[in-house]
Amino acid sequence: MTRLFKNVVLPLAVVAIAAAVSLAIISSRPELPRRESIEVVPLVEVVTVQPGPVAVTIESRGIVTPRRSIDLVSEVSGRVDWVDSGFLQGEAVSEGQLLLRIDPIDYEVALSTAEASLASAELALAEVKALVKKAAIAEAQAGVTAARDRLRQAKVDLANTEIRAPFNAVVDIKQVDVGQYVTAGSSLMKLLSTDVAEVRLPLLASDVPYVDYGQYDDGTWPQIMLTASFGNIKHSWRARLARLERRVDEETRVFFVVAQVDEPYSRSLHSHILALGLFVEASFAGIAIDDAVKIPRSALHQSSYVYLVENGSLQRREVTLRRRESDSVIVSGLEAGDLLVLTRLDLMVDGMPVRMLD
């Protein structure tokens, strides 16, 4: 009996007493205060939209080129015996300016010979007419005609010994100098015209529908500004959008609109000369897009929809992307008074409660 008490009854009693004490402690512990859960509503920035005509900005850049560029060749052969001191590579020359002269002595002799031949032919014709030799008259008249043609050719050859600028230009390449012998057909120089400068501005296919070019009915042209930086100094030139080239570059797949500047080297028209070969930038307004809104890129999701705030919650609205620009997009499909969400949250779903930033 004693062994049963020690091995069974006593341990059970100890366990029962410990359980009773633990239950008493737990029951006497004060109840912890309950915290009410607080719902956090995201704060978003919104803007009220007003659809209407949206101006399109087009940016491009290009190199100033001449409207005309020619390789001037000699039409006669001979030694160059005189060159104008202003005939230098990179210098401007005027239309009609004498640039160099080929020794004319051979052509002066040819001219005198042609004049003598014409006189002899005319004398022969007069003699056969006086003798009324009808058979010989036709032959004599042909001789006079041939002599006149040779005289005209001799005059042209003599005139061609003087090489003049065919238009206002810049000497791009000079290939002859005093003492050099040139042959007919040899290149003397390359000239770049300066009456009108052109800049080919590359455009993406998406830009083309919004470019206004060509002369208006009233005689005016669409105007743009070309700019170039010289260190910290920026110069600008007014240009006209003359034409859109009717071809696409095979490698880059871009179009080109051509801007023109009148008399780029004129100090009276421009504050600074627009040198051929200069790299310039252009930023100009295109044709406006009607019934559209320009919004930040971050407000457009997956290029197809935006979020609005309606009755304190997000509402998804499908839009049509009309055009992308540097830091913004132009879309249609919004209505006047819509509250467009500018803030981009990590999680945005239709019907999500939000608060608007004051």
Side-chain angles (χ1 to χ4, degrees):
M1 185 68 177
T2 303
R3 183 177 295 175
L4 177 64
F5 179 80
K6 289 182 179 180
N7 296 335
V8 176
V9 176
L10 185 58
L12 290 175
V14 172
V15 170
I17 293 171
V21 172
S22 300
L23 181 61
I25 293 174
I26 293 173
S27 299
S28 63
R29 187 178 63 182
E31 185 177 356
L32 296 176
R34 296 183 178 179
R35 289 185 178 181
E36 296 182 359
S37 61
I38 301 175
E39 182 178 0
V40 179
V41 179
L43 191 64
V44 295
E45 182 181 1
V46 300
V47 63
T48 303
V49 300
Q50 185 65 46
V54 177
V56 171
T57 301
I58 299 174
E59 296 181 349
S60 188
R61 54 198 56 82
I63 296 175
V64 181
T65 60
R67 186 169 63 171
R68 293 179 291 177
S69 174
I70 65 168
D71 287 313
L72 202 58
V73 301
S74 176
E75 297 184 56
V76 295
S77 299
R79 183 179 59 84
V80 178
D81 66 354
W82 179 86
V83 171
D84 183 10
S85 60
F87 177 42
L88 300 170
Q89 192 160 302
E91 286 296 315
V93 294
S94 303
E95 180 178 356
Q97 179 180 342
L98 181 60
L99 303 178
L100 61 90
R101 186 179 61 231
I102 297 172
D103 189 353
I105 184 62
D106 292 340
Y107 302 97
E108 291 172 345
V109 171
L111 177 61
S112 299
T113 301
E115 290 174 341
S117 297
L118 177 58
S120 298
E122 290 175 340
L123 180 59
L125 177 60
E127 289 178 351
V128 297
K129 283 184 177 180
L131 298 175
V132 195
K133 294 182 179 180
K134 295 182 178 180
I137 290 178
E139 181 181 354
Q141 287 177 334
V144 171
T145 301
R148 286 175 177 169
D149 291 339
R150 287 192 294 269
L151 177 60
R152 185 169 64 251
Q153 181 63 57
K155 290 180 178 179
V156 170
D157 288 343
L158 180 59
N160 286 336
T161 60
E162 294 185 345
I163 310 301
R164 299 180 181 272
F167 44 71
N168 295 334
V170 167
V171 180
D172 186 41
I173 300 175
K174 176 185 176 182
Q175 296 181 302
V176 294
D177 216 324
V178 174
Q180 185 173 345
Y181 186 88
V182 297
T183 58
S186 59
S187 180
L188 303 176
M189 67 196 76
K190 182 177 181 181
L191 298 179
L192 310 178
S193 68
T194 58
D195 55 343
V196 176
E198 294 189 339
V199 182
R200 298 173 71 235
L201 300 171
L203 299 175
L204 298 175
S206 58
D207 291 331
V208 173
Y210 306 107
V211 177
D212 191 15
Y213 60 89
Q215 191 172 25
Y216 298 135
D217 293 337
D218 61 2
T220 60
W221 299 77
Q223 299 291 311
I224 67 170
M225 294 300 293
L226 304 175
T227 60
S229 297
F230 299 81
N232 296 327
I233 302 175
K234 179 174 287 188
H235 293 287
S236 60
W237 300 266
R238 186 174 297 278
R240 59 177 177 269
L241 289 179
R243 66 183 186 276
L244 180 70
E245 292 186 357
R246 303 300 179 181
R247 63 188 181 93
V248 180
D249 188 273
E250 295 180 358
E251 296 182 358
T252 60
R253 311 308 300 170
V254 299
F255 293 80
F256 287 93
V257 64
V258 179
Q260 294 182 338
V261 178
D262 289 327
E263 299 183 40
Y265 285 84
S266 173
R267 292 283 190 175
S268 60
L269 293 180
H270 311 288
S271 60
H272 192 275
I273 64 171
L274 179 62
L276 299 175
L278 184 67
F279 182 81
V280 294
E281 296 182 345
S283 179
F284 56 96
I287 300 173
I289 301 176
D290 293 329
D291 196 27
V293 179
K294 180 181 286 190
I295 64 175
R297 279 180 176 262
S298 59
L300 181 66
H301 299 261
Q302 297 182 11
S303 300
S304 61
Y305 63 90
V306 297
Y307 282 104
L308 308 177
V309 174
E310 294 182 4
N311 300 321
S313 62
L314 294 180
Q315 298 296 325
R316 175 170 160 171
R317 175 76 60 82
E318 300 292 330
V319 294
T320 301
L321 176 60
R322 304 290 297 275
R323 177 176 171 79
R324 298 180 187 271
E325 296 193 342
S326 57
D327 57 355
S328 61
V329 292
I330 301 174
V331 300
S332 58
L334 298 175
E335 299 177 359
D338 283 343
L339 298 175
L340 175 69
V341 177
L342 302 181
T343 305
R344 199 177 186 101
L345 303 175
D346 294 335
L347 176 64
M348 301 181 76
V349 294
D350 204 17
M352 175 181 172
V354 292
R355 293 179 299 140
M356 292 186 294
L357 183 65
D358 295 334

